[in-house]
Amino acid sequence: MASGKHILIIGGGVIGLCTAYYAVRQCHRVTVIDRDAADHEGCSYGNAGMIVPSHFVPLAAPGMVALGLKWMWNPASPFYIKPRLDWDLLNWGFKFWRAATPERVSRAAPLLRDLHLASRACFEELAELTGNDFGFVKKGLLMLCKRQHTLAEEAKTAERAKQLGVPAEVLDAKQTAALDPNVRMDVAGSIYFPKDCHLSPDRFMAALKHQLHQEGAHFSWETEVTGWRVDGSRVEAVQTAKGEFSADEFVVCGGSWSPVVARDLRLNLPLQAGKGYSLTLPKPRQLPQICAVFTEARVAATPMGNTLRFGGTMEIAGLNEEINPVRVQGIIKSVPKYYPDFTPQDFEGVQPWRGDHRQAHRRNSVRRNSIHPDRAAEPGSLRVKEPDQESAGQNRLVRIRVGSADHDLNIPSGTVTLDGDLTTPAGAVGIVLFAHGSGSSRHSPRNQFVARAIREAGIATLLFDLLTQEEEGQDDVTGRLRFDIGLLAGRLVEASKWIANQPDTQKLGIGYFGASTGGAAALVAAAEIGLPIGAVVSRGGRPDLAGAAMEDVKSPVLLIVGERDETVLELNRSAYARLRCEKELAVIPRATHLFEEPGALEEVARLAADWFRRHLRAR
């Protein structure tokens, strides 16, 4: 597509929003229309949330036709085709049968592998960009097998995976239990695919919508397509109940509704609606750390924050959102067979997901919090562990009490406590506070790497969590606090005041190191405090989210971005132009958003340490 086109996308599910996101990144103007309301939650929200390079075998595989015919008469089977006289279904079934050959599977496998791996890389990039706002976890997947025969069959798939370059390990029952001790399993063994990942689908959708709003994409909800205006072979506009929408190009991302939308264009899409079910336990009795598939039952189990989702069954029954209780019971009955400490009673009161009908626990009200510059941080207590010697300095676990956030959380006494790791090298003249939008800054390997380089330059570091554990739990569901720049900046301001009030650190010049949305929080906090902040560094950050506060920053600012992180680079260039302070924009050659290329993160650490060493002075 040429730059600057107007792209209209039909469908606001995950495919539509991802298409919109990458179109926006290519500098196109984007409009998304959808037949449902803005808060409708289709299958993009209720799925198992797995990213699976291990699944390189297509559904149309040898033996699936016979299995489908066998299961057709069992409504509780994992793969169910509802018997009905429907020409589209018969045509689709014939094409499915013709595609289910060993030769086609062999040709498809490397293509599916490449698509999955490319998709995984995109999710990883988005996770870093949003501060992992959607719970992206890279711990692999377990294919759990109840029977030894199944394990032997799956081992053949594992061997094929390794031939394709997809890592796979065959584990016995003891090895499987050791890999995920958080849940008791009753299995003969498993296949472990370490490259597989999982995430929280509803939080991913929320993050995508937020990104698109930030980038200026337009949405029109409750806008059902009624037809098309065509001039010869060119589509001029899509007709809807709200009028016509014209564009340069149109992308149909309607999921199972796409054949209906495209019918008037004389496009024959051999596509059938496949319906699945999921149930999410808000407080599971055990919480595995690795997502799993119950191989014989064809049920997926995915930890999502503090919740546990079970999803499965494929039902081809036409376009409807009716719940088949027999199929839901099939999922529930399978769980104790693999996780024996669970019982069917655990699911009492848990509503199966269907369209916009989900569990009542999925949302909590969160209001934006503003910065209160006159709100002083209470003096906190330093709780000292056995001191570790690093650079001849002291490493401490600190607890900082700050004013409570203005949102609906059950936090007693009007304050919250933030945990942090404070390390002060001997003779330090400054201290750098790390801000990361994910709320887990002190556990970020990249931030810890940079922090070591800064300490080697003779500067103290404070890596602390911008959100409490309780807030992290709430955010696992809502996915909103990590984009609340006002809240994050307010916490950073109060942590700075706390540092200024401590006898051991009150004479140190203060600097900020921000990553992801923490970059915006650092700029807002620096603008609020003013000259006492000696320097600010942003690594792959989102300074654009600081808004008008950028023009009030007086501290020297260094923006570090990867050359190949094109969208974030453009955002940083725009932010750089708005800054009115001493500033530099450092572009790391050939580096992407995660700075994973050889030497890239080392260069980030060197630049940051030099910047702070140049600008921080004792007070």
Side-chain angles (χ1 to χ4, degrees), residues 76 146 279 294 297 299 310 325-340 342-345 347:
K146 283 285 294 181
L279 303 104
F294 303 162
V299 167
F310 296 96
V326 175
R327 303 190 66 71
V328 175
Q329 284 301 313
I331 295 175
I332 294 174
K333 290 178 181 178
S334 72
V335 175
K337 295 178 181 178
Y338 295 81
Y339 293 166
F342 286 77
T343 69
Q345 287 69 40
F347 294 89

Side-chain angles (χ1 to χ4, degrees), residues 143 145-156 170-173 188-191 296:
M143 296 290 295
C145 303
K146 283 285 294 181
R147 299 188 297 268
Q148 196 66 42
H149 171 73
T150 308
L151 182 61
E153 288 299 313
E154 290 298 315
K156 297 177 183 177
V170 181
L171 307 178
D172 60 23
S190 67
I191 309 298
E296 292 89 350

Side-chain angles (χ1 to χ4, degrees), residues 362-374:
R362 68 178 170 87
R363 288 283 182 266
N364 290 280
S365 174
V366 179
R367 298 190 298 271
R368 290 191 64 81
N369 179 53
S370 58
I371 299 176
H372 302 282
D374 57 343

Side-chain angles (χ1 to χ4, degrees), residues 444-458:
S444 164
R446 292 177 180 84
N447 282 352
Q448 290 175 355
F449 182 90
V450 174
R452 284 194 295 271
I454 291 173
R455 291 193 293 269
E456 290 172 0

